Amino acid sequence: LGDGASAGNYGYSNSGYSVYEEENERLTESLRTKVSAIKSLSIEIGTEVKNQNKMLSEMDNDFDSAGGLLGATMGRLRTLSRGSQTKLLCYMMLFALFVFFVIYWIIKLR
């Protein structure tokens, strides 16, 4: 205070205080810009997370329905395998004979 500055300035001259104030304003504006960018980025991330969660939920439902179909098919295969093997073999032989007859008939018509 002995250098002639008034007690209200706390030792800062008007020009020095102005430089610090301008620097502070510039840094504040830079910080405000960065916070705004982070805010918009976090909003975009939140939107993307919601979309991904919706897609995962839909996929979960699809997998559940596919699992149900697979379970029903496995049940039918178990029932078929418990049945008479002779009946299954007879059906396979009849099918093979039918395919052979159709191929023979196609070749004969040429």
Side-chain angles (χ1 to χ4, degrees), residues 45-62:
I45 289 172
T47 304
E48 184 65 26
V49 166
K50 287 178 186 175
N51 290 338
Q52 294 293 327
N53 282 338
K54 182 180 175 186
M55 189 186 318
L56 284 173
S57 177
E58 291 171 359
M59 285 178 61
D60 187 39
N61 292 339
D62 291 343

Side-chain angles (χ1 to χ4, degrees), residues 59-77:
M59 285 178 61
D60 187 39
N61 292 339
D62 291 343
F63 280 125
D64 284 344
S65 65
L69 287 172
L70 186 60
T73 302
M74 291 302 291
R76 289 186 197 126
L77 281 174

Side-chain angles (χ1 to χ4, degrees), residues 3-17:
D3 61 356
S6 66
N9 285 347
Y10 298 107
Y12 296 112
S13 65
N14 285 339
S15 63
Y17 182 73

Side-chain angles (χ1 to χ4, degrees):
L1 291 183
D3 61 356
S6 66
N9 285 347
Y10 298 107
Y12 296 112
S13 65
N14 285 339
S15 63
Y17 182 73
S18 177
V19 170
Y20 290 127
E21 188 68 25
E22 288 173 11
E23 179 72 15
N24 194 17
E25 288 295 324
R26 187 181 59 79
L27 291 174
T28 302
E29 187 59 36
S30 173
L31 185 61
R32 185 176 294 122
T33 303
K34 290 176 184 177
V35 167
S36 176
I38 290 173
K39 179 183 176 184
S40 65
L41 184 64
S42 65
I43 289 171
E44 289 176 14
I45 289 172
T47 304
E48 184 65 26
V49 166
K50 287 178 186 175
N51 290 338
Q52 294 293 327
N53 282 338
K54 182 180 175 186
M55 189 186 318
L56 284 173
S57 177
E58 291 171 359
M59 285 178 61
D60 187 39
N61 292 339
D62 291 343
F63 280 125
D64 284 344
S65 65
L69 287 172
L70 186 60
T73 302
M74 291 302 291
R76 289 186 197 126
L77 281 174
R78 280 191 204 105
T79 303
L80 184 62
S81 68
R82 289 182 191 151
S84 150
Q85 297 297 329
T86 309
K87 187 188 267 187
L88 182 63
L89 186 59
C90 181
Y91 285 142
M92 287 177 55
M93 291 298 279
L94 286 174
F95 178 73
L97 187 61
F98 174 75
V99 170
F100 178 74
F101 178 70
V102 169
I103 291 173
Y104 175 75
W105 183 63
I106 291 173
I107 292 174
K108 186 83 168 172
L109 287 178
R110 280 188 162 183

